[in-house]
Amino acid sequence: MEPAGQRARPSGPGSGADETAAWFPAGFDAHRGEVLFAAAERADLAAQTFLDWRWDRAGRAQTRASAASLITRLPPLGRPVAVLWHTGFCCSTLLAKALDCPGRNLSLCEPQILVEIANAGRAGLLARAPRGAVPRLAFHLLSRGFAPNERVTLKPAPAANVLLGDSAIREAGPMLFLYSDCRSFLVSIVKLGEQGRKYVRSAFLAILGDGHPQAQWPLPTMLALSDLELAAVLWHMQIAAFLRHWPQLAQGRAASLDCDTFLDRPGETLHRAGQFLSLPLDADHFNSVLEGPLFRRNAKTGEESFDAARRQEVHRSIAQQLGSDLDRVIARSYEICASTPRGAPLPDPLLPSDKRYCP
């Protein structure tokens, strides 16, 4: 079946080395062991804020293929995908969009297939496949660009961060770990209101068993936590997961980035990120991005007149509303999650910073 609206291509999903990016791996059916594909042009993928359940695929040609069959014909990964791991609420979407350039780098934001594979692993539904084989298949399928030398930068959702330890270390290329500090993370959650509270609890439950000591906490202890306290613990859990896997990454393969550093020095950050991720992007591209609308709107919602200064203003207002509760929750979170460094939470910063962290 040929994707609607595409030029003729030699093959479709399941043909091994000849698979093309015109068939995008949109999901994973764990019970049937099948990868779900949707027809998509490059512009379709780049335009989506998130390639998850919010991407409306109605009317697109779709098909599926056996994961086991694809795995047996999987050729060596020719172009290791660059990865932006992140804690959430750290401007990762903004960075991914700024690095997208047709023919040079395709940025894929939070593909649903990675979350579904992560959840299948948590449920024990990948036991029949060789260890790490299904996640490696996903990284391979997601690494395909639309031009001969087009690279791919992948930004998984935080719920898929568990894949870092099992497969991405072997299959992916350079990795940039984005984070906000604990205070900014909490303020971002409060800003979302009820949606933020739901996000925290669903994310906490999703990653609870991913090797976190919080899984050993008695249920009454967890239920006694307020929404804000649980959000702080969730932030620490994500930082801890990154730190656990950091020693497995070869020297120079991983770097960290505080979103405040990114927003304070966007031009320098973009140039350095492009170099670190080995992306074929030049000064003209970055200058065009910085002069365009991307940094003057909310990367998630498209809201205009929302830049770094406006973000600081909103965060400052919410922090004032929370008052001393915010400081208390942060301080307490560092006491019960004592493994988190008191300074910069992650090593190897992409750019030097004199930011002071005051839990």
Side-chain angles (χ1 to χ4, degrees), residues 38-176:
E41 296 185 11
R42 189 199 186 284
D44 298 329
L45 303 178
Q48 301 306 313
T49 304
F50 301 109
L51 290 162
D52 57 10
W53 56 269
R54 288 165 284 193
W55 177 27
D56 184 4
R57 299 190 290 274
R60 296 184 180 276
Q62 300 187 47
T63 189
R64 55 178 65 213
S66 163
S69 177
L70 290 171
I71 289 169
T72 60
R73 295 194 295 272
L74 199 62
L77 189 62
R79 296 176 294 188
V81 62
V83 188
L84 305 178
W85 302 102
H86 65 103
T87 61
F89 309 104
C90 55
C91 300
S92 58
T93 302
L94 175 62
L95 178 59
K97 295 298 183 183
L99 295 175
D100 186 84
C101 181
R104 299 183 184 183
N105 177 66
L106 170 63
S107 291
L108 300 175
C109 292
E110 308 198 4
Q112 183 69 14
I113 187 173
L114 294 181
V115 174
E116 291 177 346
I117 289 174
N119 289 337
R122 292 175 178 122
L125 298 177
L126 301 180
R128 293 184 179 180
R131 180 177 175 84
V134 176
R136 288 197 297 274
L137 170 63
F139 275 90
H140 188 286
L141 295 173
L142 290 166
S143 72
R144 304 167 301 165
F146 281 77
N149 296 314
E150 187 173 49
R151 294 289 307 277
V152 171
T153 296
L154 178 62
K155 184 180 84 86
N161 286 347
V162 67
L163 300 180
L164 169 63
D166 196 32
S167 59
I169 286 177
R170 294 190 295 274
E171 293 301 308
M175 300 181 181
L176 184 57

Side-chain angles (χ1 to χ4, degrees), residues 223-260:
L223 291 178
L225 295 173
S226 69
D227 293 327
L228 199 62
E229 290 169 334
L230 193 64
V233 171
L234 174 63
W235 180 85
H236 284 274
M237 291 167 69
Q238 295 185 95
I239 294 297
F242 291 157
L243 290 174
R244 277 198 301 274
H245 297 298
W246 209 280
Q248 298 173 264
L249 299 168
Q251 182 69 29
R253 192 176 167 201
S256 64
L257 177 62
D258 185 313
C259 71
D260 287 335

